[in-house]
């Protein structure tokens, strides 16, 4: 059985997109300045693969274009291979966009070739992939049929020979140079190619092509490297449009959970815990750890648990990507454990203490601090996660350690600021005008002032029409 | 109360020519400084004089004293402002900048202390700009190397503690015995440019503003501050010191005098005597049977004027370049104000016979205007490099360099950079920039933004739109001018700094052509013109067939057959008048003599079109409107163009004779005309112009009409002198097309890429005129297209191997050479004797050029792919392989392959094959459309050969469709452009449903609906050309 994934570059990037968000925005994956693949919305506007990006922009000004991510595609291919392992141990990759599986031995188990193909299609769909499937007595034959989008499910060698003869030559997956030469000499289908003199073909296209033809027809054997399942499960998914709704995160996570289930089935194993990592727009990670009372394997089960957890969480920052991790596989030959017996009370780790503290005391109560390069005093430091990294920055002028947030308006008498008596301005003005780009623009003249009780204060006068004096900080 | 305010001169000021730092134009800085009552302003861009001429011109106008200087930051961190006191110091600074720029990377500079040491004794002044922690060592070094000429600049900008800073600088100054003065480190003329300045910083750092943090300026204090404010900030003696320094800087750019190269005059001659001799020789060459009296008088008069203004060396310089080109048989022609003089005709700089034209030399070289004469010389585009190398070799790189072109931000590039600076993602920026089509200006922005999915009211977009207006027009970097050479007697670097151009081994000066013109410095324009290559090639082909030399001078003048062809707009390939706009004008204008061509060239241009000159002229010429003049003086100016101003010179002259402008003022008007669209500023001339005309008894109506015409002229006005030179090329190329169509076609093909039409159209046009065109073929073709004998005596064009896509010239030449030894026997033989790679053979097979050796294309490709080189070749030759039977390609496949390789086909037009299907779709052909009456509805389809959107036709796009019977000119109005953008831009085979618009011979189809029929073409490889 051969699976060809013509939309893989697009799906690898977009499969995390919930259907509710899919409407309207046309998407394309580009390589260089050329459209490699595009979705239905883009297609409807006239965008086609192979088109120059500039031409695509002209047709679809709202087109969202992402560069191809080969790493992600490879991961997706391996994910599919891993999932396929639940049906057969002999799975091999046909990069960049294909997977082959030897299924002869599993046919009876899964009800024959037709039902099995339907099952594959459904599973792939749940993971967010669309594939062209073809089956044939030889691996290469099946692969060529899939590439030629024939989608035939053949079990006899004679059928295969007839099917291959009418296959267009571009289904051979050979190099562009050979393909161009075939077109140049007017050879359109595999049958015509097979009729050419063999010595002439070998000289012009190389012996490899003849060998491949023989392998496809079954007159020569073909050895393929088997895909090996990794020891632990890790998969990630980009969210093309950052999401803030738990439901959308869940949708994307489900694609990975289906993948996980296939992986576990292939390993005849279950897990006791898994972790969903949420990457936020500001590059911070949030982790949702789920523990199970007993080892389990079913995606449905995992999904339910995850939904419960997600509903309890408010997403403050949009999520840009998710990753699913599961280690510590437990052998699980039979059915999985009861749905409701997972124990949240099992030993919490120390690191979760802060989460629990926050949950009790209210969000944002436990913080770390770091300096941040910005002229605006209120933005010159920044809250970071507890135990976050440390950094240094060149200091600006004199800055008090204690800042009032927000600054406190001071009374005025005769244009001079008062705070329990007149303030004496010792130094200044230090003028700060900055921050127009994020709506937090300030324009102030800062002074160091001494109050009547000899405290050193940091005060400023608002520039512009509003005016007014404010106390912003206290020097220790 | 200005009297109580202290005087001040700003000595440290950056303009936007310190790219991505300065946030104001030099002109803005000058105007603001003048308005604030500054005693002087020093423009001190970072290691650059690129903005000083603009500042100089503005300062002269506002009566402000401008000081020329530069800010330099050395590799060891020392930062100083250097000021020019006199010509010598200026030359030293210019040389210093040159050294720093030539040593540094493109766009940057590298200087060290020993470079500054070389300024010793030149009179240059130095202001040390101390860093955050004042460094006494730097101060001592400056004091030691600029004794009596160094200061420490105190630049207070409301920092954390100005008082402490000033005290520290005072201590520093006292410690090394240097005086302290106030300076502003000005980055913008007004504080409101702060946002733009922040954005520029972000662009410079390649990060969003929000991530620039403390690299941004903390406040907007680096602007030109009120003197009152300065008085509060600085002790009076620090302000007074600035005036003392300014007083020592007496240098003005007006002192720069251009010195012509000396080597052009042989020993014992003066420039005047030598020019006289050369002109005399030239006259005898031009007029072997005696010089006409009129011409002789003209020459004498011109020589006197040249002598009076001492322009001899300029004419000698141009003559030298032209003489060199001629010695290498490179065709060239001069144009420009001085080029149409009798002297230039005699010197061979131009071919426009002064007897044929009635142009007054004084109109172009005026006594009043102190500016150098203007001569541009066009050379064959494929050989201009030889001329440039000659100039470098003759004068050396120290004395000759190209003028700069200032590349400015345009809407799209500004959107890109600002978008990134404001934190939009690359993808959003691309979306934004791409949503602006090639024709959209800044005004289209809101609509385009909405279309691209941006909310124009969102804060980010509002910020972007606000900054966009300011950034557009800002200089971005210097590039090289297309061919403006500046040549000096001594080292050029002492006149103007020189920096590296992007092209290796090229250097550019820091001034552009406007700067040079403003200072009256001379440049020689060495330009490239494709048509000159084509004409030279055509003349050579004609000469070869006739067996005797044949030059431009041998082309018969005023041939009626040529004009008849032109009047029918049968002008594909003819210089200038081949464009669609020109073609639709020709049948109406009906040029019948040379001067009509001069007008034709000038009239179909945005200037006259926007000024509304075209229709009045046509109506008068056709006798519909009477020709009248408001006065005799105006008649003298406008009589040759029937009372309608068409040339730039006429507008200037009108200002003089009708509105009382002096020639100098008229010249300013011309400059403003060129710039008003960018900068505005023409309004002040309006009042002056109208008043002047009213005073002289002209009607308000006439005066305002003239003003409107001036506005319309804008930067597109075309000078008569250029037009005349171009018209000559129009005539020569038209004559060749009419009488030597085969030679003309071959020459055009050999000169590609050039002109308006692709080879396919040129070949089709030639065939329509009865020229036989033969295929490219290894058994017959040379590299170039050639002429072959044909039975009827008319030559046939043999396509050259240059038409074969992907084939190298060297391979083409080897094929021709090997064939000359003996004909090829087989593809194998060809490959061996011409040493061809498989790749070359594949190209030849694709072009159908192996037909004589291998048969049809499929067999040719099979044979080509089977060829091996070296040892394998011998083995292959011995073992004969079985020949396959391959089906021949269909006609359609052959046509597609022809287009893919050659860009044209000699077979049937692709639409001829599709005609039955097009008929079923009820689509008519071009021929049928030509006969339809005005107002009739029509449907057609054709290959899109050209889409054009003239600047003058608000949003309209002209599309040319081609089928097997000819071309259809389609007009697509703006609303349809918007509605059917996709079909318009995407279709290769475009169907149009519309209405016929007919005026005499000129037929257009006004589109109502467009359909994309490209699917019918399959893989047809015809590409359209988009013109801006």
């Amino acid at each position: 059985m051969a699976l060809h994934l013509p939309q893989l570059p697009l799906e690898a990037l977009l499969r995390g997109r919930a259907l509710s968000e899919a409407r309207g925005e046309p998407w394309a994956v580009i390589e260089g300045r050329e459209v490699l693949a595009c979705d239905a919305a883009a297609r409807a506007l006239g965008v086609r693969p192979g088109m120059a990006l500039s031409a695509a922009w002209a047709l679809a000004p709202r087109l969202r274009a992402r560069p191809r991510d080969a790493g992600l595609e490879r991961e997706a291919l391996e994910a599919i291979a891993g999932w396929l392992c639940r049906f057969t141990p002999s799975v091999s990759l046909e990069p960049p966009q294909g997977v082959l599986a030897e299924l002869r031995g599993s046919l009876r188990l899964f009800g024959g070739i037709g039902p099995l193909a339907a099952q594959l299609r459904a599973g792939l769909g749940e993971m967010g992939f669309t594939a062209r499937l073809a089956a044939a007595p030889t691996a290469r034959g099946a692969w060529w049929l899939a590439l030629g989008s024939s989608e035939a499910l053949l079990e006899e060698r004679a059928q295969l020979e007839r099917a291959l003869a009418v296959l267009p030559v571009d289904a051979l997956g050979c190099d562009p140079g050979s393909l161009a030469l075939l077109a140049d000499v007017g050879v359109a289908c595999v049958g015509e190619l097979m009729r050419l003199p063999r010595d002439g073909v070998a000289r012009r296209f190389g012996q490899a092509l003849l060998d491949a033809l023989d392998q496809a027809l079954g007159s020569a054997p073909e050895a393929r490297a088997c895909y090996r399942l990794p020891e632990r499960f890790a998969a990630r998914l980009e969210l093309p449009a950052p999401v803030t709704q738990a439901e959308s995160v869940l949708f994307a996570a489900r694609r990975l959970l289906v993948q996980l289930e296939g992986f576990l089935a292939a390993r005849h194993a279950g897990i006791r815990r898994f972790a969903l990592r949420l990457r936020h727009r500001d590059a911070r990670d949030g982790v949702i750890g789920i523990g199970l009372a007993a080892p389990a394997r079913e995606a449905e089960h995992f999904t339910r648990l995850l939904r419960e957890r997600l509903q309890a969480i408010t997403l403050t920052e949009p999520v840009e990507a998710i990753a699913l991790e599961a280690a510590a596989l437990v052998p699980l030959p039979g059915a999985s454990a009861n749905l409701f017996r997972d124990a949240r009370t099992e030993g919490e780790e120390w690191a979760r203490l802060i989460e629990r503290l926050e949950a009790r005391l209210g969000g944002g109560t436990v913080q770390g601090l770091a300096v941040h390069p910005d002229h605006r005093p209120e933005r010159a430091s920044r809250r970071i996660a507890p135990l976050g990294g440390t950094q240094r920055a060149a200091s600006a002028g004199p800055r008090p350690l204690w800042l009032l947030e927000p600054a406190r308006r001071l009374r005025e008498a005769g244009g001079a600021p008062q705070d329990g008596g007149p303030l004496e301005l010792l130094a200044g003005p230090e003028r700060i005008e900055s921050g127009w780009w994020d709506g937090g623009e300030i324009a102030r003249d800062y002074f160091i002032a001494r109050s009547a009780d000899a405290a050193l204060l940091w005060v400023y006068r608002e520039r512009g029409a509003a005016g007014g004096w404010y106390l912003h900080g206290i020097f220790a | 109360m200005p009297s109580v305010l202290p005087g001040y001169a700003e000595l440290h000021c950056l303009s936007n020519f310190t790219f991505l730092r300065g946030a104001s134009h030099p002109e803005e800085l000058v105007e603001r400084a003048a308005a604030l009552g500054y005693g002087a302003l020093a423009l001190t861009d970072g290691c650059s004089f690129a903005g000083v001429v603009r500042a100089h011109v503005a300062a002269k106008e506002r009566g402000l004293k401008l000081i020329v200087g530069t800010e330099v930051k050395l590799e060891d961190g020392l930062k100083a402002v250097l000021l020019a006191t006199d010509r010598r110091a200026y030359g030293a600074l210019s040389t210093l900048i040159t050294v720093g720029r030539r040593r540094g990377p493109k766009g940057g500079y590298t200087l060290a202390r020993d470079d500054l040491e070389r300024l010793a004794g030149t009179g240059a002044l130095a202001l040390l700009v101390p860093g955050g922690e004042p460094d006494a060592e730097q101060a001592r070094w400056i004091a030691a190397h600029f004794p009596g000429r160094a200061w420490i600049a105190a630049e207070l900008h409301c920092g954390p503690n100005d008082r402490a800073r000033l005290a520290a600088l005072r201590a520093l100054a006292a410690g090394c015995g240097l005086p302290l003065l106030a300076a502003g480190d000005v980055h913008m003329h007004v504080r409101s440019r702060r946002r733009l300045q922040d954005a520029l910083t972000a662009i410079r750092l390649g990060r969003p503003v929000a991530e620039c943090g403390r690299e941004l300026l903390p406040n907007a204090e680096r602007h030109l501050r009120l003197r009152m404010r300065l008085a509060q900030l600085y002790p009076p003696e620090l302000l007074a010191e600035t005036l003392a320094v300014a007083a020592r800087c007496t240098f003005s750019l007006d002192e720069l005098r251009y010195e012509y190269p000396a080597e052009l005059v042989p020993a014992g001659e003066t420039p005047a005597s030598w020019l006289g001799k050369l002109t005399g020789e030239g006259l005898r060459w031009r007029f072997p049977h005696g010089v006409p009296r009129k011409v002789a008088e003209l020459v004498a008069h011109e020589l006197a004027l040249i002598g009076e203004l001492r322009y001899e060396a300029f004419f000698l310089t141009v003559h030298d370049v032209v003489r060199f080109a001629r010695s290498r048989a490179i065709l060239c022609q001069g144009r420009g104000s001085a080029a149409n003089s009798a002297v230039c005709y005699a010197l061979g700089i131009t071919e426009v016979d002064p007897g044929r034209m009635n142009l007054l030399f004084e109109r172009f070289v005026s006594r009043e205007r102190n500016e150098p004469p203007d001569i541009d010389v066009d050379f064959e585009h494929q050989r201009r490099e030889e001329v440039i190398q000659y100039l470098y070799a003759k004068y050396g790189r120290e004395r000759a360099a190209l003028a700069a072109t200032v590349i400015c931000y345009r809407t799209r590039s500004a959107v890109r950079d600002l978008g990134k600076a404001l934190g939009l993602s690359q993808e959003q920026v691309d979306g934004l920039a791409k949503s602006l089509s090639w024709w959209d200006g800044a005004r289209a922005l809101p609509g385009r933004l909405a279309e691209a999915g941006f909310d124009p009211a969102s804060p980010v977009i509002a910020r972007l739109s606000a900054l966009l207006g300011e950034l557009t027009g800002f200089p971005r970097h210097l590039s090289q001018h297309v061919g403006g050479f500046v040549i000096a007697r001594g080292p050029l670097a002492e006149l103007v700094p020189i920096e590296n151009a992007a092209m290796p081994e090229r250097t550019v000066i820091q001034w552009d052509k406007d700067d040079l013109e403003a200072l009256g410095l001379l440049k020689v324009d060495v330009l490239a013109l494709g048509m000159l290559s084509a004409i030279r090639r055509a003349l050579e082909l004609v000469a070869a067939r006739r067996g005797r030399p044949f030059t431009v001078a041998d082309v018969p003048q005023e041939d009626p057959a040529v004009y008849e062809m032109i009047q029918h707009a049968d002008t594909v390939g003819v210089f200038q008048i081949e464009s669609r706009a020109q073609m639709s004008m020709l049948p109406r204008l009906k040029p019948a003599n040379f001067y009509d061509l001069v007008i034709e060239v000038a009239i179909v241009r945005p200037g006259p079109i926007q000024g509304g000159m075209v229709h009045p002229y046509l109506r008068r010429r056709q006798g519909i409107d009477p020709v009248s003049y408001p006065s005799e003086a105006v008649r003298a100016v406008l009589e040759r163009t029937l009372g309608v101003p068409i040339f730039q010179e006429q507008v200037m002259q009108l200002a003089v004779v009708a509105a009382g402008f002096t020639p100098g003022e008229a010249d300013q008007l011309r400059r403003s005309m060129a710039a008003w669209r960018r900068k505005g500023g023409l309004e002040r001339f309006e009042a002056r112009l109208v008043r002047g005309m009213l005073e002289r008894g002209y009607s308000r109506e006439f005066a305002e009409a003239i003003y409107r015409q001036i506005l319309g002229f804008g930067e597109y006005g075309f000078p008569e002198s250029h037009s005349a030179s171009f018209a000559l090329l129009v005539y020569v190329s038209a004559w060749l097309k009419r009488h030597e169509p085969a030679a003309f076609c071959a020459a055009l093909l050999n000169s590609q890429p050039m002109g308006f039409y692709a080879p396919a159209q040129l070949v089709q046009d030639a065939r329509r005129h009865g020229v036989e065109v033969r295929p490219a073929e290894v058994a017959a073709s040379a590299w170039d297209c050639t002429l072959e004998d044909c039975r009827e005596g008319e030559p046939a064009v043999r396509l050259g191997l240059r038409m074969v896509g992907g084939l190298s010239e060297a391979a083409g030449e080897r094929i021709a050479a090997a064939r000359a030894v003996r004909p090829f026997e087989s593809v194998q033989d060809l490959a061996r004797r011409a040493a061809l790679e498989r790749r070359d053979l594949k190209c030849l097979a694709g072009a159908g050029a192996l037909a004589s050796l291998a048969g049809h294309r499929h067999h040719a490709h099979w044979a080509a792919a089977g060829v091996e080189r070296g040892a394998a070749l011998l083995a292959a030759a011995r073992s004969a392989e079985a020949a396959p039977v391959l089906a021949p390609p269909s006609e359609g496949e052959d046509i597609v392959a022809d287009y893919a390789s050659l860009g044209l086909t000699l077979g049937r037009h692709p639409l001829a094959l599709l005609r039955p299907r097009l008929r079923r779709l009820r689509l008519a052909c071009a021929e049928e459309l030509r006969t339809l009456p005005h107002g009739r509805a029509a449907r057609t389809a054709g290959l899109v050969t050209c889409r054009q959107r003239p600047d003058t036709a608000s949003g309209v796009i002209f599309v040319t469709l081609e089928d097997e019977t000819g071309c259809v000119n389609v007009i697509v109005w703006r609303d349809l452009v918007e509605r059917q953008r996709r079909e318009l831009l995407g279709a290769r085979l475009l169907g149009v449903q519309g209405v016929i618009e007919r005026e005499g011979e000129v037929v257009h189809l006004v589109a109502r609906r467009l359909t994309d029929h490209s699917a019918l073409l399959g893989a047809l490889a015809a590409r359209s050309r988009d013109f801006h």
Side-chain angles (χ1 to χ4, degrees), chain B residues 206-405:
Chain B
R207 300 204 289 260
V209 193
E211 288 173 24
C212 291
R214 305 184 54 82
E215 308 256 11
L216 301 175
L217 297 177
N219 57 38
E221 291 304 294
R222 283 170 174 80
H223 65 281
L224 291 169
R225 290 174 285 188
L226 297 174
R227 284 191 288 147
M228 191 171 73
R229 182 87 188 111
L230 292 167
Q232 293 164 353
L233 285 171
Y234 289 100
E237 67 273 17
L238 266 60
L239 298 176
E241 192 66 21
T242 63
L243 295 178
V245 170
R248 287 178 65 173
C249 298
T250 58
F251 172 73
S252 158
L253 286 171
D254 284 334
E255 291 171 41
L256 295 184
R257 277 287 159 267
Y258 184 79
E259 292 181 313
Y260 295 97
E263 55 263 73
L264 297 169
V265 182
E269 295 278 357
T270 66
S273 69
W274 186 237
L275 181 65
K277 267 186 198 163
L278 289 175
T279 308
E281 277 171 25
L283 284 176
R284 283 189 291 283
W285 159 63
R286 287 288 191 195
F287 302 99
H289 310 297
V291 183
R293 226 188 86 201
K294 183 184 156 197
V295 174
E297 282 171 5
L298 213 51
V299 166
H301 177 76
E302 288 174 7
L303 282 177
L305 190 61
I306 292 169
E308 186 186 322
L309 300 171
R310 284 196 251 149
Y311 287 149
E312 294 97 342
F314 173 67
F315 284 83
L316 290 173
T317 309
V318 177
H319 169 254
D320 179 62
V321 179
V322 168
R323 188 197 48 76
F324 164 77
R326 204 140 284 161
S327 74
R328 295 293 175 89
I330 302 170
L331 196 58
C332 61
Q333 178 174 249
R335 63 189 157 96
S337 62
N340 296 109
S341 57
V343 168
C344 280
Y345 181 68
L347 293 176
I349 294 168
T350 167
E351 296 293 326
V352 179
D353 183 343
R356 224 164 135 181
M357 291 285 298
N358 197 17
L359 302 176
L360 271 180
F361 186 53
E362 256 140 308
R363 208 176 289 146
F364 310 128
V365 179
S366 82
R367 283 192 177 81
E368 289 87 351
R369 275 186 280 141
N370 180 24
E371 71 172 49
D374 169 23
I375 300 182
D376 300 346
V377 190
D378 294 316
F379 295 87
E380 291 177 41
H381 68 313
Q382 289 156 331
R383 302 186 64 189
R384 185 180 69 126
E385 191 57 28
E386 296 173 42
V387 179
I388 290 178
Q389 291 310 325
Y390 167 75
L391 285 174
Y392 275 134
K394 176 159 185 140
Y395 301 103
R397 286 175 188 275
E398 312 77 38
R399 294 174 52 206
L402 283 168
T405 296

Side-chain angles (χ1 to χ4, degrees), chain A residues 1-8 11 72-103 120-121 124 127 129-136 138-147 153 222 224-229 259:
Chain A
M1 178 79 74
L3 286 72
H4 174 227
L5 299 130
Q7 290 286 78
L8 188 64
E11 288 165 348
L72 213 54
E73 283 171 41
R74 176 77 191 194
E75 277 177 35
L77 209 58
E78 291 188 12
I80 293 168
W83 179 82
L84 274 174
C85 285
R86 69 185 304 176
F87 299 98
T88 168
S90 344
V91 175
S92 64
L93 300 181
E94 185 71 40
Q97 295 180 13
V99 185
L100 301 184
E102 160 71 61
L103 288 168
L120 290 180
R121 258 188 248 278
L124 289 169
M127 289 188 287
F129 299 107
T130 42
R132 292 203 186 111
L133 303 184
T138 67
R140 186 162 296 273
W143 176 234
W144 282 354
L145 291 175
L147 275 181
L153 301 173
E222 182 184 10
R224 304 191 66 92
C226 268
Y227 173 72
R228 288 177 57 89
L229 276 175
Q259 224 169 290

Side-chain angles (χ1 to χ4, degrees), chain B residues 446-722:
Chain B
R448 287 280 168 262
L449 287 173
E451 213 171 277
F454 295 92
D455 175 7
S458 82
V460 176
I461 298 303
R463 284 177 204 124
L464 189 139
S465 311
L467 292 177
L468 186 60
E470 290 179 335
L471 184 61
T472 307
F474 258 46
R476 198 183 193 194
H477 60 90
L478 296 183
S479 171
Q480 63 181 52
H481 183 261
V482 286
F485 259 92
V486 181
I487 304 164
R489 174 174 293 186
L492 191 55
E494 290 178 9
L495 191 69
V496 51
I498 304 171
E499 56 181 71
N500 297 328
M503 222 191 225
E505 293 302 299
R506 283 284 164 86
T507 47
V508 295
I509 63 170
Q510 286 189 331
W511 292 341
D512 72 2
K513 65 178 174 45
D514 292 341
D515 294 336
L516 292 170
E517 202 180 319
L519 294 181
L521 300 182
L522 170 149
K523 75 174 190 331
V524 180
D525 270 329
V526 179
L527 303 173
L529 191 61
M531 182 49 76
L532 282 172
S533 306
I535 289 177
R536 197 254 307 158
R537 287 164 187 272
L539 292 172
E540 277 174 10
L541 288 169
V542 172
R545 286 198 69 81
R546 295 190 178 186
R548 58 183 167 79
F550 193 77
T551 69
V552 171
D554 297 316
V555 171
Q557 296 184 3
E558 303 298 72
D559 180 342
V562 171
Y563 287 105
E564 199 197 321
M565 178 187 83
I566 291 174
Q567 287 170 10
H568 286 97
D570 181 8
T571 52
V572 170
V574 176
F575 186 55
Q576 287 280 315
I577 59 170
E578 63 172 345
S579 78
R580 210 177 121 174
Q582 290 276 4
M583 276 195 182
S584 65
M585 184 65 65
L586 291 169
R588 292 187 256 179
L589 198 74
K590 295 202 184 302
N593 58 47
F594 183 71
Y595 195 74
D596 287 346
L597 290 182
V598 178
I599 289 174
E600 171 76 32
V601 167
I603 202 169
V604 187
R605 295 209 165 251
I609 292 171
Q610 285 184 350
M613 280 79 152
V614 177
H615 284 279
Y617 179 81
L618 275 180
R619 292 176 68 83
R620 288 176 182 212
R621 192 178 162 91
Q622 289 164 351
I624 302 169
D625 288 352
V627 180
S628 62
Y629 305 94
S631 72
E632 276 309 301
V634 170
R635 172 197 284 270
V637 177
L638 296 182
E639 188 161 26
R640 63 189 187 278
T641 52
L642 306 180
V644 181
I646 285 171
F647 303 112
Q648 203 181 53
E649 294 92 338
Q650 290 179 311
V651 175
M652 289 166 63
Q653 275 180 293
L654 272 183
V656 173
V657 306
F661 279 44
T662 67
E665 288 170 324
D667 192 48
Q668 275 184 13
L669 174 65
R670 177 178 66 84
R671 273 180 222 285
S672 307
M673 268 159 56
W676 79 271
R677 215 171 289 276
R678 279 174 287 146
K679 299 179 191 162
L682 213 53
E683 298 75 20
R684 61 199 165 104
F685 288 106
E686 179 178 12
R688 173 104 174 64
L689 202 73
V690 172
R691 196 180 60 236
M693 290 201 223
L694 290 180
E695 278 166 11
R696 280 162 190 77
Y698 297 99
S699 71
R700 178 168 287 275
E701 204 187 339
F702 175 77
E704 281 170 357
I706 292 291
Y707 178 69
R708 271 199 308 281
Q709 286 170 340
I710 290 175
L711 282 186
F713 254 67
E715 49 199 300
Y716 306 114
F718 208 59
E720 188 172 17
S721 49
H722 282 248

Side-chain angles (χ1 to χ4, degrees), chain A residues 213-263:
Chain A
L213 273 171
D214 293 343
Q215 287 166 354
L217 291 167
S219 47
E222 182 184 10
R224 304 191 66 92
C226 268
Y227 173 72
R228 288 177 57 89
L229 276 175
E231 288 305 312
R232 40 173 300 158
F233 181 86
R236 64 184 169 129
L237 202 53
E238 305 275 331
L239 302 185
V243 299
T244 48
Q245 287 176 335
E247 200 53 38
S248 303
V249 174
L250 191 69
F251 175 88
R254 192 179 144 71
R255 298 221 185 276
L256 299 183
L257 291 172
V258 170
Q259 224 169 290
L260 175 60
E261 180 185 323
F263 172 84

Side-chain angles (χ1 to χ4, degrees), chain B residues 853-968:
Chain B
L853 300 177
H856 66 68
R857 265 201 181 85
H858 289 164
H859 279 133
H861 275 297
W862 183 262
V867 163
E868 313 225 4
R869 300 197 63 183
L873 176 94
L874 294 173
R878 264 179 266 127
S879 68
E881 65 173 33
V885 183
L886 298 166
S890 69
E891 183 182 5
E893 283 173 326
D894 260 336
I895 289 174
V896 168
D898 279 341
Y899 270 101
S901 169
L902 302 161
L904 60 89
T905 182
L906 298 178
R908 285 201 287 163
H909 191 278
L911 288 206
L913 272 69
L914 294 175
R915 187 52 62 193
R917 303 180 66 170
L918 298 175
R919 285 254 172 273
R920 280 200 293 282
L921 293 167
R922 294 187 297 122
L923 296 167
C925 65
E927 200 166 39
E928 291 160 340
L929 255 56
R930 269 196 293 276
T931 61
L932 293 180
H934 181 79
R936 178 71 60 86
R939 291 156 56 92
T940 186
L943 297 183
V944 178
T945 57
C946 175
R947 295 183 194 94
Q948 200 185 7
R949 184 182 175 282
D951 293 331
T952 45
S954 54
V956 178
I957 292 195
F958 296 123
V959 181
T960 305
L961 300 181
E962 179 197 271
D963 66 20
E964 73 276 27
T965 64
C967 290
V968 178

Side-chain angles (χ1 to χ4, degrees), chain B residues 565 570-572 574 733-739 741 744 765 769:
Chain B
M565 178 187 83
D570 181 8
T571 52
V572 170
V574 176
S733 56
W735 186 90
L736 287 165
K737 178 179 168 70
R738 174 68 182 80
H739 295 288
F744 186 60
D765 183 70
H769 287 80

Side-chain angles (χ1 to χ4, degrees), chain B residues 121-136:
Chain B
T122 62
L125 308 183
L127 319 181
L128 176 69
V129 182
E133 299 291 326
D135 181 343

